[in-house]
Each structure stands twice: as structure tokens, then as C-alpha cells.
Amino acid sequence: MALAEDHRSVVARDVPFPMRDLLHVPRERYYDRGFYELEKEYLWPRVWQMACRLEEIPQPGDFVEYEICDQSILVVRQPDLSVKAFHNACRHRATQLCSGSGRLPGGQIVCP
Ligand code: FES
């Protein structure tokens, strides 16, 4: 735990535009490019994301594209009704596989 505590204290010390109270979020946090880059590196990869609601993908092959920062993720209902998420890029040339939401043709992800 010492490593995690050390990491937290370093991050907390270096956060720009600190919150001085719980009711006031400094406006710079909404538009500052440097703050956005810090969020991309330290926040969004480490927290759970609300990618979609299960009701949006009721049938096998249903998908929703979830975008966060420069990442695009496909959330797909599986034949056994479980849910999996995939990078929305083919392995060959990183072509985007799907956009928006819908049902995968033939229930499979296919590079266009
Ligand atoms: S671009 Fe070749 S498989 Fe996607």
C-alpha cells in the first residue's frame, strides 16, 4: 500500500486548479488543455465508465459504440447474453469497425 499512497500524494500535490471546497469546481478544469491531458492519462483509464445501458443491447449481436477521449470502444451483446467490449479498430489498419449503435451483420464484427 505504500506505493499507492505515495502515488496518490504525488498526484494530489501536482493537480492544477485544485478544488478549494466541495461546492466549487474551478472553471479551468472544463477547458484547460493541460488538465484534459492529465485526465486522459491519470483519470479516465483508471475509473469505471458508463458505456451504455443493457437495455440498449438486448439481443445477441447488438452493439453500442462508446467514445472516451480518443478511444472508441464497441460494447457487444454476446450469443450467451453476456456483454463484451472491444477496441473499435481492426488489427490490420486500425480501421473503425462500427459507429453508433445497431446490430452486427451476421452477429459478427467485420472490418468494412
Ligand atoms: S483494414 Fe484490413 S482488415 Fe481492416
Side-chain angles (χ1 to χ4, degrees):
M1 281 295 165
L3 182 60
E5 291 169 11
D6 290 346
H7 178 72
R8 272 195 303 263
S9 64
V10 168
V11 170
R13 187 182 61 228
D14 295 338
V15 170
F17 317 116
M19 291 183 62
R20 304 278 182 228
D21 62 74
L22 294 177
L23 300 176
H24 175 249
V25 178
R27 71 175 75 97
E28 292 86 349
R29 286 185 170 211
Y30 294 100
Y31 62 78
D32 182 78
R33 185 72 189 184
F35 195 82
Y36 171 74
E37 295 298 331
L38 287 171
E39 285 184 325
K40 274 177 49 179
E41 184 173 351
Y42 293 105
L43 177 66
W44 300 122
R46 293 174 170 84
V47 296
W48 288 96
Q49 304 288 310
M50 170 64 183
C52 73
R53 297 182 61 87
L54 293 176
E55 301 90 73
E56 295 176 72
I57 50 172
Q59 300 296 318
D62 289 349
F63 73 92
V64 167
E65 177 190 17
Y66 175 67
E67 295 178 296
I68 178 78
C69 300
D70 57 357
Q71 301 288 309
S72 175
I73 305 295
L74 285 182
V75 182
V76 181
R77 180 70 74 170
Q78 300 298 297
D80 66 359
L81 300 183
S82 64
V83 176
K84 290 187 177 178
F86 305 91
H87 289 283
N88 189 12
C90 84
R91 290 177 160 190
H92 179 210
R93 292 195 161 190
T95 300
Q96 183 176 10
L97 297 169
C98 298
S99 64
S101 62
R103 182 160 297 158
L104 297 169
Q108 297 191 345
I109 299 173
V110 178
C111 181

